[in-house]
Amino acid sequence: MKKTILIGGVAGQGSAVTSRLIGKIFCRLGCFVFNYRDYPSLIRGGHNFNILEVSDRPVYSQSEKYDIIIALDQKTIDLHQMNLKDDGFVLASSRLRAERMKAIDTKPILEELEGPQYLENDILIGWMFKYFGVDKEFLFEQIREAFGQNSEKIEKAIEKGYLLAEEKEKLEKKEGNYFISGNDGISIGAINAGLDVYLAYPMTPATAVLHYLAKKEKEYNIEVSQLENEIAVVNAALGASFAGARAMVGTSGGGFALMTEAISLSGISELPLVVYLSQRMGPATGVPTYNSQGDLKFAVNAGHGEFPKIVVAPGDSQEAISRTEEAFYLTAKYRTPVILIGDKHLGESDYTFKELKSSSVSKDRFLSKNLPENYKTYEITDSGVSPAAAPGQGPVVRATSYEHDEYGYTIEDAETTVAMNKKRMKKAEQIEREVSRLKPTAVYGDGKNLIIGWGSTKGAIMDALPELDGFRFLQISYITPFPRDIVKKEMEKSDQVILIENSVTGLLGDIITEQTGLSVSKKVLKYDGRPFTADYIIRELKK
């Protein structure tokens, strides 16, 4: 069984909430669901829609043709009816007009319920789940869980729609699945890693992490704050890190641009910091609610001067959990900034998994105890990693933006400058060995031709792969340090190498060439703000 359902309406009409609710119910029935969200930068009006891909097998992206369109307004029908499958139909109120339409007269039901207009969405939900033969009481259980004390009128609206439909297809209930977004995964991973402080200034598409963690603030004893701007956010986070807290900040491209000076401060002061960079379409304000992977080289090269940094890119919400845990582990152990890079498609799409897996990395804070009186904040060691401490543990602990000696006193002489640069860069060797144990790449499928991708393109590539003869997929999750030996080996044994990326120029291709000396001449690039679909990839590769 595989169904593609589009839910559309104007902003404020509840299409996103309706879609996520439908997706969660299908997941609880044991289905695999992917939920894609599309919306303009408007609080009211415009056109919002979600696409739900529902299957009895794992699915990681949305399709371009629809089995059902749930239309909350006429514009949804006008824009999307052309992509309705031959045996598909539109489900909507009888006040709207469409071909192949299952029309419901919602007006008398709303008058009877004396409820708000959004209850029309619930009438349509009830009709659809009756069509799929879902037990009514099971539906009510999900509604009560989602809406609590506010569920009474919603239940009545769903029942009204349920009674108007006939069962056409039967979905058998199986063991339920998890249904989480990439931003949920980032948040869960941070909590699992022992997050103490999360600071942010709201910026789509990273804002959902701020909201998620704010709701969990008391439960997990986390300090969550919205400060006045991104400069304040990142510097306050470094202050918290200096005090021994496990700190994280979140933003998108424009906010990250303001943070880059402090990325260098984290590097020279050796203060742990995790930065969540959730990309959107740029440059500048660009197309603010749409998708891009155009900040990759910006993240890799962020900050002035030379110092080790780590850039890691999860490909779905499951990886968002484990890679976030790894980010906290690496920043705490090696005391260098870690940039966790995602995008709008990863962050705001919902994925389905049987179980949520954590990384096996340690949750240790790597802070030393019983410090000697002559404690050196920046002691030169064979690994380049100094024994870390937080203020209040005994001896004086220092942090500085200036070049310094082992104790943290500022210097300008040549000899110490060279020694401290070598000390910091020596950590890069240790980090590279550590990351090699964290599976920085993954290969899916088997074939002579190689697809390379990173981040959110994973989903569409994975869904396309079964339809592509002779192709395998190399996913690169750690961009810095770059897994050059693995990538070079995979490329050299391939007949063709094709990069798939949401960018104008193919940024990962440039990094591959810089790191391996091998060029990627064939690229499938998409830069209209919309993510890849499996259909699109199959068409392009079959050319």
Side-chain angles (χ1 to χ4, degrees):
M1 187 277 291
K2 190 174 183 182
K3 298 290 181 183
T4 305
I5 304 168
L6 183 140
I7 303 99
V10 299
Q13 206 168 4
S15 59
V17 174
T18 300
S19 177
R20 204 156 199 251
L21 175 62
I22 292 171
K24 189 171 285 188
I25 292 171
F26 274 119
C27 275
R28 293 290 174 84
L29 288 163
C31 297
F32 291 89
V33 183
F34 180 82
N35 179 30
Y36 164 67
R37 187 180 177 201
D38 190 298
Y39 60 98
S41 184
L42 295 170
I43 296 172
R44 288 286 184 272
H47 175 59
N48 290 18
F49 68 93
N50 284 54
I51 302 172
L52 286 169
E53 197 75 12
V54 183
S55 177
D56 54 0
R57 297 181 180 182
V59 62
Y60 306 104
S61 65
Q62 73 282 6
S63 294
E64 297 175 353
K65 299 288 186 179
Y66 317 124
D67 296 282
I68 302 172
I69 294 175
I70 300 179
L72 307 181
D73 69 343
Q74 187 63 43
K75 193 170 188 179
T76 298
I77 296 169
D78 297 341
L79 288 174
H80 300 287
Q81 188 171 225
M82 67 184 72
N83 290 321
L84 195 62
K85 292 179 182 177
D86 291 341
D87 57 349
F89 61 86
V90 175
L91 176 60
S93 166
S94 56
R95 62 188 168 83
L96 306 179
R97 293 289 176 266
E99 299 175 11
R100 288 180 285 156
M101 182 170 166
K102 309 289 186 182
I104 302 175
D105 188 2
T106 58
K107 185 177 179 181
I109 299 174
L110 292 173
E111 289 174 351
E112 180 187 340
L113 295 175
E114 298 181 344
Q117 185 67 34
Y118 70 74
L119 288 179
E120 181 176 277
N121 305 11
D122 301 302
I123 297 168
L124 301 178
I125 288 173
W127 192 101
M128 187 189 69
F129 279 111
K130 175 64 176 295
Y131 179 92
F132 285 112
V134 177
D135 180 69
K136 184 171 65 174
E137 290 305 317
F138 173 81
L139 277 182
F140 290 163
E141 287 174 17
Q142 307 311 307
I143 297 303
R144 290 174 200 131
E145 181 182 319
F147 298 102
Q149 295 178 343
N150 300 317
S151 67
E152 187 176 345
K153 281 194 174 182
I154 296 173
E155 286 182 50
K156 288 180 180 178
I158 285 176
E159 185 170 30
K160 293 289 185 181
Y162 195 92
L163 294 173
L164 292 173
E166 295 181 10
E167 181 182 316
K168 296 292 185 180
E169 301 183 39
K170 183 66 175 176
L171 276 178
E172 297 296 335
K173 187 177 181 302
K174 301 176 184 176
E175 185 179 351
N177 296 318
Y178 290 94
F179 189 55
I180 66 168
S181 69
N183 281 332
D184 290 347
I186 297 289
S187 306
I188 293 166
I191 291 170
N192 290 350
L195 176 70
D196 295 308
V197 175
Y198 183 81
L199 304 174
Y201 183 82
M203 192 170 188
T204 302
T207 307
V209 173
L210 178 65
H211 293 167
Y212 186 104
L213 293 173
K215 291 177 183 177
K216 302 290 184 179
E217 192 173 21
K218 292 182 179 179
E219 183 179 352
Y220 292 100
N221 193 28
I222 306 168
E223 174 65 30
V224 180
S225 292
Q226 174 186 325
L227 302 187
E228 63 269 29
N229 57 45
E230 288 87 354
I231 297 173
V233 161
V234 70
N235 283 291
L238 287 175
S241 182
F242 175 63
R246 194 155 275 190
M248 180 181 181
V249 301
T251 189
S252 192
F256 185 69
L258 296 172
M259 293 182 176
T260 52
E261 183 182 18
I263 300 295
S264 296
L265 174 56
S266 169
I268 195 168
S269 62
E270 300 187 46
L271 289 173
L273 180 67
V274 175
V275 180
Y276 174 40
L277 167 56
S278 187
Q279 303 165 97
R280 66 189 200 184
M281 195 78 186
T285 307
V287 192
T289 60
Y290 285 88
N291 195 62
S292 173
Q293 294 182 304
D295 294 345
L296 182 63
K297 288 201 283 188
F298 181 29
V300 169
N301 297 299
H304 55 284
E306 298 170 281
F307 58 95
K309 76 170 74 68
I310 299 164
V311 179
V312 56
D316 54 43
S317 56
Q318 174 70 80
E319 291 179 8
I321 296 173
S322 58
R323 296 305 189 189
T324 302
E325 292 170 352
E326 291 168 12
F328 277 94
Y329 165 73
L330 292 167
T331 196
K333 185 173 182 179
Y334 296 101
R335 303 188 71 78
T336 197
V338 178
I339 299 165
L340 192 63
I341 186 168
D343 56 32
K344 185 263 178 189
H345 188 52
L346 171 76
E348 296 191 341
S349 297
D350 296 291
Y351 300 75
T352 305
F353 295 98
K354 283 288 184 187
E355 57 180 329
L356 301 182
K357 298 176 183 177
S358 287
S359 175
S360 60
V361 294
S362 165
K363 306 300 187 289
D364 196 337
R365 290 175 185 265
F366 301 100
L367 292 174
S368 304
K369 298 178 181 178
N370 303 318
L371 300 170
E373 287 301 318
N374 66 338
Y375 169 68
K376 299 176 180 179
T377 304
Y378 301 101
E379 183 179 352
I380 296 174
T381 65
D382 290 339
S383 66
V385 182
S386 309
Q393 291 184 249
V396 174
V397 178
R398 295 182 178 86
T400 175
S401 68
Y402 279 80
E403 192 55 277
H404 46 264
D405 63 14
E406 292 180 276
Y407 290 96
Y409 292 111
T410 60
I411 59 89
E412 292 186 348
D413 68 279
E415 184 179 356
T416 310
T417 301
V418 169
M420 295 311 291
N421 269 289
K422 284 184 175 180
K423 171 221 179 318
R424 289 190 294 271
M425 294 310 294
K426 192 174 286 186
K427 289 190 286 186
E429 302 169 15
Q430 303 290 326
I431 292 168
E432 190 164 350
R433 282 194 286 271
E434 185 89 63
V435 166
S436 69
R437 295 193 286 269
L438 298 177
K439 297 182 179 178
T441 64
V443 178
Y444 301 92
D446 183 29
K448 296 272 187 168
N449 301 311
L450 181 68
I451 298 169
I452 298 179
W454 67 279
S456 67
T457 58
K458 176 188 176 182
I461 296 170
M462 292 290 287
D463 285 344
L465 212 55
E467 305 299 320
L468 297 169
D469 292 332
F471 283 90
R472 69 189 192 285
F473 167 42
L474 172 64
Q475 179 196 6
I476 302 176
S477 297
Y478 274 87
I479 314 299
T480 305
F482 192 77
R484 64 182 69 81
D485 292 341
I486 299 173
V487 174
K488 190 172 184 179
K489 180 181 177 182
E490 290 293 331
M491 290 178 68
E492 287 178 336
K493 69 180 185 181
S494 302
D495 290 347
Q496 295 186 85
V497 178
I498 302 167
L499 173 67
I500 293 181
E501 188 175 88
N502 277 118
S503 73
V504 181
T505 58
L507 303 168
L508 182 60
D510 295 344
I511 293 172
I512 288 170
T513 301
E514 178 186 330
Q515 292 288 333
T516 68
L518 303 176
S519 63
V520 183
S521 58
K522 296 186 178 181
K523 301 171 184 177
V524 177
L525 305 175
K526 202 169 189 292
Y527 41 92
D528 58 359
R530 278 67 179 172
F532 284 96
T533 63
D535 304 314
Y536 185 95
I537 291 171
I538 291 166
R539 282 197 304 272
E540 291 298 308
L541 294 190
K542 284 188 175 179
K543 289 178 182 178

